[in-house]
Amino acid sequence: MIRKFDYLRVIKGIEPITRNIDRYGYIIIPKQIREKLSLREGDYLEIHKRRDTIVMKKTLNKTNSVKKCLVTGEESENNFEFLNGKLILSKEGVGQLISEIESKFLYKNKSESY
């Protein structure tokens, strides 16, 4: 029987590494893991607790877990990401953007050809 941890090790090709947490709460991510995930100085990590496990995920920006809509300003982790995280919109923001695009391009330029 393969335990979940052993399965992950086989798939990812990385042996388990033990690190200590210093008195400030810092931990060093091993070089082989940083290289495998293309982590660079200044990159952001989203950190979650899942049962008794800490899960870290590379993210595009500092506030990825609470995403702020560019149109409405609504902050929610349920907002949608477009253009690889460069554009964040709430459901209401998507509707407003679609309406504005339609009014500026579709209805005004019906006679124009693209």
Side-chain angles (χ1 to χ4, degrees), residues 65-102:
S65 58
V66 178
K67 300 175 269 191
K68 185 174 181 180
C69 176
L70 189 61
V71 175
T72 64
E74 178 186 341
E75 292 184 4
S76 171
E77 51 189 39
N78 296 323
N79 286 345
F80 304 101
E81 291 184 24
F82 300 96
L83 304 171
N84 294 322
K86 295 176 188 170
L87 177 61
I88 310 242
L89 298 173
S90 63
K91 188 173 184 179
E92 183 183 336
V94 169
Q96 288 180 18
L97 183 60
I98 289 171
S99 294
E100 188 160 334
I101 289 170
E102 286 176 342

Side-chain angles (χ1 to χ4, degrees), residues 22-112:
D22 72 13
R23 66 182 181 181
Y24 301 107
Y26 293 112
I27 184 169
I28 296 173
I29 300 171
K31 184 177 181 180
Q32 71 184 92
I33 293 174
R34 292 192 317 263
E35 287 175 348
K36 189 110 175 149
L37 298 175
S38 300
L39 292 174
R40 304 280 182 258
E41 183 179 342
D43 286 349
Y44 292 103
L45 295 174
E46 206 174 85
I47 303 171
H48 301 276
K49 177 190 172 291
R50 189 177 297 147
R51 295 187 187 143
D52 64 343
T53 304
I54 297 170
V55 178
M56 291 188 270
K57 177 183 173 186
K58 185 176 179 180
T59 184
L60 296 174
N61 57 42
K62 189 176 183 178
T63 58
N64 203 38
S65 58
V66 178
K67 300 175 269 191
K68 185 174 181 180
C69 176
L70 189 61
V71 175
T72 64
E74 178 186 341
E75 292 184 4
S76 171
E77 51 189 39
N78 296 323
N79 286 345
F80 304 101
E81 291 184 24
F82 300 96
L83 304 171
N84 294 322
K86 295 176 188 170
L87 177 61
I88 310 242
L89 298 173
S90 63
K91 188 173 184 179
E92 183 183 336
V94 169
Q96 288 180 18
L97 183 60
I98 289 171
S99 294
E100 188 160 334
I101 289 170
E102 286 176 342
S103 70
K104 289 194 181 206
F105 294 102
L106 297 180
Y107 300 123
K108 287 185 180 179
N109 298 323
K110 263 190 173 179
S111 60
E112 296 177 24

